[in-house]
Amino acid sequence: MEVKIGVQHAPRELVFDTDESAENVEKLVAEAVASGGVLTLTDTKHRKMIVAAAKIAYVEIGGGVAGQVGFRS
């Protein structure tokens, strides 16, 4: 599952793959924002991404597009 997190006042977004389900990622984001704490997610390489909930601009949860090579029309 691909996750993109936009952080306020940061020129780039965090993009990583995780083994978590979309529903679980959505629940973790909602809990972090409601509590004003931090959002902690683990990627597929077992690295932790920790973002202060107050600085989250947006979160995009999607399946990603794997295996596309070349031009599309």
Side-chain angles (χ1 to χ4, degrees):
M1 176 71 52
E2 184 180 77
V3 178
K4 293 182 185 178
I5 301 174
V7 181
Q8 295 176 6
H9 309 297
R12 296 176 53 176
E13 58 195 10
L14 299 173
V15 181
F16 58 95
D17 291 319
T18 184
D19 293 328
E20 300 281 347
S21 67
E23 294 81 18
N24 194 31
V25 171
E26 184 178 353
K27 184 180 98 174
L28 290 170
V29 170
E31 289 173 357
V33 171
S35 70
V38 295
L39 171 64
T40 304
L41 294 171
T42 304
D43 71 1
T44 55
K45 296 179 182 178
H46 305 288
R47 297 178 295 190
K48 288 194 176 206
M49 307 294 171
I50 302 171
V51 181
K55 298 295 181 184
I56 295 174
Y58 64 89
V59 177
E60 183 178 318
I61 305 167
V65 179
Q68 287 196 351
V69 178
F71 296 101
R72 297 184 302 171
S73 57

